Amino acid sequence: MKKQRDEGIDSVNRTNSPERNMELFEEMHTGSNEGQRWCLRAKIDMQCPNKCLRDPVFFRSNLLPHARTKSKWKAYPTYDLACPIVDSKEGVTHAMRDMNYKDRKPLYAWVIEKLKLRPVVLHDFSRMNFVYTLLSKRKLSWLVDEGRVTGWDDARFPTIKGVLRRGCQVESLYNFMVAQGASRKEGDMEWDKFWNFNKKVIDPVVPRYMAVDRVNNITLELEDVESLRAKTYPRHPKDKTGEIHGVKTLFLGSKVLLEYGDIHDEKSMVKEGEDILLMQWGVVEITQVTVEGGKVKSLKGKTKPDGDVRKPKRKIHWLADTPHCIKARIFEFDYLITKPKMEPDDDFKDFLNPNTLAETTVYVDPGLKTLREGDCLQLLRRGYYRVDKAFTDKSEELHLFTIPDGKAKAVSTFATTSAKMAHR
């Protein structure tokens, strides 16, 4: 049939009588082997330059049980027949359709005219494509079926459930879509704009906490701090009193965990006599640096209550080394394919990204115990996260999903999964 339509050749059944066509149509609805051999086509114009009008299929056999009507019907109308009827009957005044359906507009109008239905105005808009992204349901289904992702709500998927699980807010999704409008201009968008909209929504409200890598950390011993004590801080820096976003308890102790990358990076190593700033605590002077094999093994220091917080070059997040700290696992994601734009002849399986998920184990602020699944937060100098698995007495650790913030590079120097993932 496809070959005949391409070459403008009439079907041998094009001149069937109405009685014969009704006989075959009724046979289709029985679901018999004979009925499944047939489809119903509209008799329009097999010589039309627009091949969509070359006797398109209007009814097909389908024995799969319907979600609501089960197996009552054995044949169903195609979109070309159903859409104009449903739109007109249900009171749709303006139907917005993908530019891919542009050639089918005359067919839509033909159905409206022949069935004497109320006209509907069609408005075309371009499909929203993103770089490094598959939007075909067939291709996405293959990824699910082959176990390349965990399901349709996988945080790497360009589905509504996928981006919401990644940390996108409904408000930012709405704002992004409204900002795009119904443009007819085609192109592949960068994801950074999408996630920038999300950052504008979450940044003013999400609480701030701290986390330290469980593996790449180093202990700073504060010689003038004798015992563990707790201090209350606002959960958001712009809410000084904590009346809007609440407060959190920060533990201050004699032993403090720091990210190793903040003490010894590619450019420099912390030196004795150097002042560093422990965020939300104050200035600390490093009094002793123990180095073995070219690597810093331990640090000692003392607090400087009157130190100028603006002067230290190293401004560091930290956690007191106490049993109050809880464990968490950070998940970071990358694109599912390695090619920015797939060409029509490309096989997407040739461009599958083998490294789309990376994990980092960290200690986190005890305040994260109060967060529930779906809550968002910021880990200072790391980025934004969504709680995918909340803390419970039975769970060993929280699961945090990295929320992209529109930046291509990490915001800190610490050793994290950012070295593995090209996309944040």
Side-chain angles (χ1 to χ4, degrees):
M1 185 170 62
K2 183 181 185 303
K3 185 175 184 296
Q4 288 181 340
R5 292 187 69 191
D6 286 340
E7 298 177 1
I9 301 173
D10 288 356
S11 166
V12 295
N13 295 292
R14 196 171 195 270
T15 57
N16 283 355
S17 66
E19 292 76 19
R20 174 57 177 164
N21 285 335
M22 283 302 300
E23 179 184 335
L24 294 173
F25 187 58
E26 290 172 1
E27 186 67 29
M28 287 175 60
H29 284 284
T30 67
S32 66
N33 290 335
E34 176 63 21
Q36 293 179 61
R37 294 180 57 242
W38 299 91
C39 65
L40 177 67
R41 296 171 64 182
K43 190 174 181 179
I44 304 179
D45 182 2
M46 284 299 291
Q47 304 305 315
C48 183
N50 184 345
K51 294 182 180 180
C52 293
L53 294 175
R54 293 184 180 181
D55 294 5
V57 176
F58 271 5
F59 252 88
R60 293 185 188 278
S61 294
N62 190 339
L63 301 186
L64 290 175
H66 190 274
R68 288 181 296 187
T69 59
K70 307 305 178 185
S71 298
K72 182 178 180 180
W73 307 104
K74 306 296 191 301
Y76 291 89
T78 60
Y79 285 151
D80 287 330
L81 176 63
C83 286
I85 296 175
V86 172
D87 289 347
S88 182
K89 289 295 185 181
E90 293 190 351
V92 173
T93 59
H94 292 71
M96 293 178 286
R97 288 159 58 105
D98 189 329
M99 287 287 289
N100 290 339
Y101 292 96
K102 186 176 181 180
D103 290 343
R104 312 190 87 83
K105 289 176 70 174
L107 178 55
Y108 188 103
W110 186 90
V111 175
I112 292 285
E113 178 188 350
K114 295 302 179 183
L115 297 181
K116 296 181 171 56
L117 298 173
R118 176 186 57 82
V120 177
V121 177
L122 298 182
H123 183 85
D124 300 324
F125 65 90
S126 63
R127 177 174 176 170
M128 187 177 293
N129 295 311
F130 287 90
V131 294
Y132 298 102
T133 303
L134 300 173
L135 293 176
S136 163
K137 286 184 288 186
R138 177 181 59 83
K139 295 173 182 177
L140 294 177
S141 294
W142 185 89
L143 293 172
V144 174
D145 295 341
E146 293 295 316
R148 297 299 183 107
V149 292
T150 58
W152 287 92
D153 65 344
D154 191 287
R156 291 162 289 189
F157 252 26
T159 57
I160 297 296
K161 284 188 175 181
V163 295
L164 291 180
R165 191 178 179 195
R166 185 79 174 266
C168 176
Q169 305 301 295
V170 174
E171 179 184 351
S172 60
L173 181 59
Y174 174 84
N175 293 342
F176 175 78
M177 295 305 300
V178 170
Q180 305 316 304
S183 172
R184 292 185 176 87
K185 182 179 179 181
E186 295 188 7
D188 296 301
M189 298 185 63
E190 299 283 347
W191 277 100
D192 58 354
K193 185 177 181 180
F194 178 88
W195 291 111
N196 270 323
F197 270 85
N198 194 58
K199 181 181 178 181
K200 292 177 182 178
V201 171
I202 64 175
D203 184 72
V205 296
V206 296
R208 268 59 168 174
Y209 297 100
M210 290 188 280
V212 174
D213 195 292
R214 270 193 252 170
V215 178
N216 298 304
N217 65 62
I218 189 169
T219 301
L220 167 62
E221 184 178 345
L222 297 174
E223 301 169 306
D224 58 337
V225 177
E226 297 181 355
S227 60
L228 183 69
R229 61 189 177 93
K231 189 174 181 180
T232 300
Y233 283 87
R235 296 206 307 168
H236 196 285
K238 293 186 178 180
D239 178 23
K240 302 297 183 183
T241 62
E243 294 180 358
I244 301 175
H245 302 294
V247 296
K248 64 179 180 180
T249 300
L250 196 61
F251 290 94
L252 313 178
S254 59
K255 290 186 177 181
V256 175
L257 296 177
L258 309 177
E259 295 275 359
Y260 186 85
D262 284 330
I263 295 302
H264 186 188
D265 56 28
E266 296 178 354
K267 296 180 180 179
S268 64
M269 180 191 301
V270 69
K271 300 179 178 61
E272 293 181 1
E274 180 181 345
D275 287 348
I276 64 173
L277 176 66
L278 299 185
M279 300 176 71
Q280 297 185 341
W281 189 345
V283 179
V284 170
E285 180 185 351
I286 302 300
T287 58
Q288 181 179 321
V289 180
T290 302
V291 180
E292 295 180 9
K295 293 186 177 182
V296 179
K297 290 298 181 181
S298 63
L299 298 169
K300 288 186 178 181
K302 60 181 181 181
T303 60
K304 297 178 68 174
D306 299 327
D308 189 344
V309 297
R310 297 169 298 180
K311 289 185 177 181
K313 293 182 179 180
R314 301 179 192 268
K315 296 176 173 58
I316 301 173
H317 59 273
W318 56 277
L319 284 176
D321 188 5
T322 74
H324 296 286
C325 291
I326 57 178
K327 296 179 180 179
R329 187 174 296 269
I330 292 176
F331 295 84
E332 189 173 356
F333 307 96
D334 201 355
Y335 299 118
L336 290 169
I337 56 176
T338 58
K339 189 173 182 179
K341 182 180 179 180
M342 301 296 292
E343 301 300 332
D345 296 333
D346 286 339
D347 184 349
F348 75 97
K349 297 175 187 176
D350 295 333
F351 300 95
L352 292 176
N353 187 351
N355 183 30
T356 62
L357 173 64
E359 301 177 18
T360 300
T361 55
V362 295
Y363 295 113
V364 294
D365 195 309
L368 269 73
K369 289 182 179 180
T370 63
L371 300 183
R372 298 172 296 178
E373 181 180 335
D375 287 346
C376 294
L377 65 142
Q378 184 186 45
L379 295 179
L380 294 178
R381 302 180 64 241
R382 280 184 178 270
Y384 301 96
Y385 299 88
R386 174 190 170 273
V387 179
D388 193 64
K389 177 183 174 184
F391 177 85
T392 65
D393 293 335
K394 296 181 180 180
S395 66
E396 297 182 357
E397 56 188 12
L398 289 96
H399 286 180
L400 302 177
F401 280 9
T402 304
I403 305 175
D405 58 7
K407 296 180 180 179
K409 297 182 179 179
V411 294
S412 182
T413 58
F414 50 75
T416 69
T417 55
S418 297
K420 305 173 186 177
M421 298 285 97
H423 172 61
R424 284 177 62 84

